[in-house]
Amino acid sequence: MNKKIRQFLLIFVLAFIVSGCGKLSEYQDIVEDLERITQEFEQESVTGTLEVHFLDVGQGDATLIRQGEHAMLIDGGDNSEGTALQAYLQSQGIEHLDYVIGTHPDADHVGGLDVILYKFSWNQVILPDAEKDTKTYQDVLKVIKDKNQPITRPVVGDTYALGMAEFTVIAPVEDDYGDNWNDYSVGIRLSFGENHFVFTGDAEEAAEEDMLQSGMDLSADVLKIAHHGSNTANTEEFLQEVQPEFAVISCKEGNRYGHPRAEVLNNLRSMGIKVFRTDEQGTVVAVSDGGTITWNCSPSESWKAGEPGK
């Protein structure tokens, strides 16, 4: 709806100019007024709130998103997190999931999804076309097969509704990233009113570059930092394109990978981006009313990097 409104207004203004009524510079006020009206309409067209729960699953990823009676889950942490993740969803009153996204086949992202897919009802499961021959990933595929449900493959540009929110697939752009499982990560841009969130799983530099070249809108208020704060992702160019006000890093305290890396934290700090971290703050929750985002905790002020090989 928002895109259609913008397209209609743009066509209206261009038709007005082409008809000989004046030059674009003479109608700058009209353009600005139309943009303001569009933004006000978008904010008024959503009701309720959007909740984004960045769950503390140790060295892994899991994000619960709720809008009204609708909910979706992105990733499920490691194998050991399945039961705890189930308990968290139940504590939130979740009985059904509209979507379950497994960003890519690595265990720290899909390990707990077999429990979730078995214990809850769901409409669609979205997985990249990159099957990994591990027991962890095969367990996920088995539950889907046992429930006789198809797998939805991500297609860049496809948009899905989540109540009054919507998300658009922004990755993977290419079909073949060789044996780099991270670059197959499903990426989405979640929108609710004037607020936007970007999630890119463990997508690394090559996948980020493809997103930059795709022409998709990557701007967001909140960026879920890729690959737990690794310096193989989160390039300065990508951060500059997204221009987030907030960033969230999901990692485990004292992890052996040295996440988050100093280079990433330095870039975030130099750009004035406020950072939340599950290793320091536990589960982080953002709530949007379509115009303003509030948090269950204050941003981290430590800027403490991990120590590789610890």
Side-chain angles (χ1 to χ4, degrees):
M1 178 63 75
N2 297 342
K3 291 179 181 178
K4 291 180 179 178
I5 293 170
R6 281 199 172 95
Q7 289 170 352
F8 171 80
L9 293 175
L10 179 59
I11 292 170
F12 173 82
V13 172
L14 291 175
F16 189 68
I17 296 167
V18 171
S19 66
C21 296
K23 298 179 180 179
L24 179 61
S25 59
E26 296 174 356
Y27 294 96
Q28 187 62 39
D29 289 343
I30 295 176
V31 174
E32 292 176 356
D33 285 344
L34 288 173
E35 180 64 22
R36 175 181 56 79
I37 292 169
T38 301
Q39 291 176 355
E40 290 176 355
F41 179 85
E42 288 175 347
Q43 286 185 266
E44 292 174 1
S45 67
V46 298
T47 58
T49 59
L50 176 77
E51 299 178 14
V52 183
H53 300 236
F54 301 90
L55 305 179
D56 179 11
V57 290
Q59 188 63 20
D61 265 16
T63 304
L64 169 67
I65 301 168
R66 303 184 64 178
Q67 203 294 299
E69 298 298 315
H70 300 271
M72 65 183 288
L73 182 69
I74 304 176
D75 288 331
D78 215 331
N79 288 281
S80 61
E81 298 295 331
T83 302
L85 186 54
Q86 174 193 346
Y88 187 88
L89 266 60
Q90 291 172 336
S91 75
Q92 296 295 311
I94 302 295
E95 297 179 352
H96 175 82
L97 293 163
D98 293 49
Y99 310 97
V100 177
I101 298 178
T103 57
H104 62 296
D106 284 352
D108 60 326
H109 288 252
V110 300
L113 286 188
D114 56 338
V115 173
I116 300 304
L117 293 171
Y118 179 77
K119 294 290 186 179
F120 295 85
S121 61
W122 41 273
N123 291 344
Q124 281 183 269
V125 60
I126 301 174
L127 300 173
D129 190 11
E131 186 171 332
K132 196 172 187 179
D133 189 20
T134 61
K135 185 178 185 307
T136 294
Y137 194 59
Q138 294 303 316
D139 285 346
V140 173
L141 298 181
K142 183 177 185 305
V143 176
I144 298 169
K145 182 179 180 180
D146 289 347
K147 290 202 172 187
N148 196 30
Q149 295 288 341
I151 294 172
T152 299
R153 300 302 186 188
V155 176
V156 170
D158 280 1
T159 299
Y160 300 83
L162 183 73
M164 303 195 85
E166 66 177 23
F167 65 91
T168 301
V169 177
I170 59 173
V173 176
E174 299 295 333
D175 296 327
D176 187 2
Y177 287 101
D179 58 359
N180 187 338
W181 301 105
N182 292 334
D183 280 342
Y184 290 97
S185 290
V186 178
I188 68 166
R189 182 176 185 258
L190 173 69
S191 301
F192 184 67
E194 281 296 294
N195 292 145
H196 309 282
F197 298 72
V198 163
F199 305 81
T200 59
D202 276 0
E204 297 187 344
E205 186 172 355
E208 288 183 346
E209 177 61 26
D210 288 335
M211 283 184 264
L212 292 173
Q213 296 299 322
S214 72
M216 296 291 293
D217 187 356
L218 303 177
S219 63
D221 303 282
V222 181
L223 173 64
K224 170 66 177 55
I225 292 297
H227 202 185
H228 321 287
S230 170
N231 59 355
T232 60
N234 312 293
T235 61
E236 186 174 357
E237 293 79 8
F238 191 77
L239 294 175
Q240 290 289 350
E241 183 68 22
V242 179
Q243 283 290 317
E245 180 179 359
F246 307 101
V248 180
I249 301 172
S250 179
C251 63
K252 182 179 181 179
E253 183 179 5
N255 67 84
R256 63 188 178 91
Y257 304 100
H259 297 154
R261 290 299 183 94
E263 299 95 314
V264 175
L265 292 175
N266 289 340
N267 284 336
L268 294 172
R269 192 172 191 176
S270 67
M271 291 177 64
I273 299 170
K274 303 177 185 69
V275 174
F276 297 88
R277 300 171 52 158
T278 62
D279 61 335
E280 294 180 350
Q281 299 163 294
T283 292
V284 176
V285 181
V287 179
S288 163
D289 64 4
T292 302
I293 299 173
T294 57
W295 300 82
N296 69 330
C297 56
S298 298
S300 170
E301 295 182 353
S302 74
W303 300 104
K304 181 181 178 182
E307 298 180 17
K310 185 174 180 179

